[in-house]
Amino acid sequence: MSTDLIQIYINDRPIIELLDRAIARGRDMSTPFQEIATVMQYAVEENFLQEGRPSWVPLAEATIAERQRKHPGSTMKILQDSERLATSITSASDAFSAQISTDTIYAAIHNFGGPAGRGHSVTIPARPFMVLLDDDLEEVIDILERHLAGE
């Protein structure tokens, strides 16, 4: 099993400032980080449901033909042939962090794209699923602001 890891770093100035304020006040961050982990997991699940936000590169004709041959009547949803990747996303949090992860060995090639297959004979397009949109970041900001306000 691979130990490769996809990490999402939120480098958003308002979020960093709110975290700095919470740390300076010595606030227990367990609850907000649990909520943030949930927001992140939901965002990634939404990426799969919408087949990318923004939309992923469509499936290649050869991929469509192979899926139809193997699974007649398949939905042809991108990155969801077996649903293994989409259902592997988990979240975790503690007093110091919030994270989402997957244990699938092929997650990185689908997220970032690149050469794959025997002899790296095909190039898989990037279909970023481990991403947060501005709306998702706004939810994170709301969570932190509520926490700092004592709610």
Side-chain angles (χ1 to χ4, degrees):
M1 178 185 284
S2 173
T3 58
D4 294 342
L5 179 66
I6 298 173
Q7 296 180 328
I8 297 175
Y9 292 98
I10 298 176
N11 193 14
D12 184 89
R13 178 56 107 211
I15 292 174
I16 292 169
E17 288 172 359
L18 288 168
L19 287 171
D20 287 345
R21 284 177 45 206
I23 291 167
R25 292 182 184 179
R27 305 298 287 273
D28 176 11
M29 297 299 289
S30 300
T31 299
F33 278 140
Q34 182 179 27
E35 291 177 34
I36 291 167
T38 300
V39 166
M40 292 190 307
Q41 182 166 358
Y42 176 81
V44 171
E45 289 171 356
E46 195 63 26
N47 294 338
F48 280 102
L49 285 172
Q50 294 187 33
E51 296 185 83
R53 300 180 306 156
S55 296
W56 293 325
V57 174
L59 294 172
E61 290 301 319
T63 302
I64 293 171
E66 181 66 14
R67 280 197 188 176
Q68 287 175 340
R69 185 184 69 73
K70 285 184 174 179
H71 311 287
S74 172
T75 64
M76 300 297 157
K77 291 194 79 142
I78 299 170
L79 297 186
Q80 297 179 65
D81 187 31
S82 71
E83 296 187 9
R84 168 73 177 106
L85 181 58
T87 60
S88 72
I89 306 301
T90 60
S91 63
S93 64
D94 57 26
F96 306 101
S97 67
Q99 67 180 24
I100 52 173
S101 61
T102 175
D103 62 355
T104 56
I105 197 166
Y106 51 85
I109 192 66
H110 287 299
N111 193 77
F112 300 113
R118 293 181 192 188
H120 297 274
S121 58
V122 295
T123 300
I124 294 179
R127 293 184 174 110
F129 57 89
M130 291 289 243
V131 294
L132 303 177
L133 300 184
D134 289 344
D135 289 347
D136 306 319
L137 296 175
E138 285 298 321
E139 283 190 64
V140 170
I141 289 170
D142 289 345
I143 290 166
L144 293 171
E145 286 176 339
R146 278 196 328 270
H147 180 70
L148 281 167
E151 294 181 16

